[in-house]
Amino acid sequence: MNQSLYPEFGVLLVDDEASFLRSLSITLARSGGITHVHRCDDSREVMGILQNRAIGLILLDLTMPHISGQELLAMITEQHPDIAVIIISGLNQVESAVQCLQQGAFDYFVKTTEEGRLIEGIKRAIRMQEMRRENQALGQRILNNSLESPEVFDPIISRSNQMRSVFQYLESVAPSNQPLLICGESGTGKELLAKAAHQLSNRTGPLVSVNVAGLDDNVFADTLFGHQRGAFTGAERNRAGLIEEAADGTLFLDEIGDLSMASQVKLLRLLQEGEYYPLGSDRPKRIRARIIVATHQELQQRQAEGSFRRDLYYRLCTHQIQIPPLRQRKEDLPLLLDHFLAQAAAELDKPVPAYPPELPLLLNNYHFPGNIRELRALVFDAVSRHRSHLLSMEVFRQVIGKNEEDGGESLSQASDSLASFNPEGPLPTLAQMDSLLVEEALRRADNNQSLAARLLGISQPALSKRLKKSRPDN
C-alpha cells in the first residue's frame, strides 16, 4: 500500500553520524508522522541535494568534518532563503544558539532535548513552511486569475467571481496536512468542495465521509476509532474505524457544529496528538488521513453559547472556506437552471423543456433560503409535471409565494440591510419614493410589468395606473 508522504516538501537531515540519522528518521516517522525524509552524512553534498530535491526544511548538526554546520547555515540562508533550518546540535551553548538564530536559523535544539519538545518544534517549522508556500501559491493564482486544475471544479456549476476566489484558495491549501473548515448555509455545496479538496490533494487513499450530527459520544468514538474484539457487549470481532479506512486519504466530517461536547474533546485530542485509541485497545494508532469538516452553523456564535469548544475551533480553522449563498451569486442562476433542467429531463426520460423568459427574472428576485438544493428541487418538480412545449412557472410561483406568506424575505429584498438615506439631505417625498420603487421594480423585472407588480406586491392594473400617472406621455 502506497503511503502519502508528509510533509509535501522534503525534510533533509544532515549529520556526520549515520546512526543518529537513522534514529532521528524513525523518531520523526513514529512520533510525528513525518515520512518525507532525506538523510545526508556528508556536509559537502548538502548544496547539491538542495539543487536537485524539493527541500523545505533542514535539520542541521553544527559539528561536522569538511564543512561545519555554521558555514552551511550561512550558505543555505544566502542561496536558499526559502528553506527553514533547525539546528540540532550536541553543543548546549547559549552563545552558539544565539549566533545561529541571528544567522537565520528557525530554531535550535540540543540532541539530548526530550523527544516531544523536539517533534513539536519540527512540526511548528513544517506548519510555517506550509503556510508560506500556500500564501505564495494563492498570491500567484490571484495575480494571474488562474486555476491550475479547473477540471476538478467542473461538478460545481458557477461563473461567480466569489466562487472562483474560493477555488483558487482551495487549490493553494489542498496539499496541506492541516484541517480544512468549510462553512456555508445548507444547500450551498460543501460536500462538493470537500471532494474537490481531496482530488486536488493527490492523496493515494480514499475520501471517507460521515455526517456526525446526532451521533452520541460512544457511537462517534466507535465510528471514527473502531474497536477491538470484546471492547463492549456485542463486539465479537475487531472493526476498523473510519480514520483507518481513510488512511492516506481524507476524512470528511459533515455538520461538525452539532457534535456533542464529549465528542469534541476526543476530536481535539486527535488533532493535537495525531493519534487515537480504538475502543478496548491500549495501543495508540497514528492518524494518516487529512481532516476536512463542514458546518452550516456559526461556530463563533456556538462558542459564545458555550456549545462549541474554542480550542477545537482554532484547531479546525487553520484553513477556512466560506461558501457564499446563492442569493449572493445570482449570476450563477442561468447556468444552474439550464444544468438542472438537462439533468431532470435525462433522469425522467423527457426532452429538455424550454422556459418562459420571465422565469429567470422571477428566480433572480427570490432569496433561496435552501440555496442550490432548493433550486434543484424546484426544477425537478417542474419538469416532472411538465406536459406542454413550455415549462410552467406555476411550481415556482407557488413555492415563492408560500415562502413570503410564511414570513420569509420578500422578493424585492436585495440585501440584508435596509435602504439608507443621506442624513444631511432632505428625505424624499412619498410620491418620489413611489416613483423610485416602480422604476427599480421595472429594472429588476427587465420591464416585465407582470413580474414588477409581483415584486411590489400590487396587481398589474394598479401598476399600470401608476405608470400612466407618472408617464403621461406613454
Side-chain angles (χ1 to χ4, degrees), residues 167-186:
F167 298 162
Q168 289 171 334
Y169 178 78
L170 197 61
E171 278 195 335
S172 300
V173 304
S176 170
N177 207 46
Q178 298 301 310
L180 170 65
L181 171 61
I182 303 175
C183 300
E185 296 178 8
S186 293

Side-chain angles (χ1 to χ4, degrees), residues 437-456:
L437 277 171
V438 168
E439 292 300 325
E440 178 64 15
L442 285 168
R443 185 188 68 77
R444 294 188 187 192
D446 200 21
N447 287 317
N448 182 303
Q449 290 190 22
S450 175
L451 182 56
R454 183 174 181 79
L455 294 176
L456 292 168

Side-chain angles (χ1 to χ4, degrees), residues 153-216:
F153 301 103
D154 285 347
I156 305 172
I157 310 299
S158 179
R159 63 182 176 200
S160 157
N161 287 332
Q162 290 184 77
M163 289 301 293
R164 188 172 182 83
S165 297
V166 168
F167 298 162
Q168 289 171 334
Y169 178 78
L170 197 61
E171 278 195 335
S172 300
V173 304
S176 170
N177 207 46
Q178 298 301 310
L180 170 65
L181 171 61
I182 303 175
C183 300
E185 296 178 8
S186 293
T188 49
K190 296 186 286 295
E191 188 166 358
L192 286 177
L193 275 181
K195 288 178 180 176
H198 172 70
Q199 238 180 306
L200 290 165
S201 72
N202 293 321
R203 294 173 180 271
T204 57
L207 170 68
V208 177
S209 303
V210 58
N211 189 318
V212 300
L215 295 185
D216 66 33

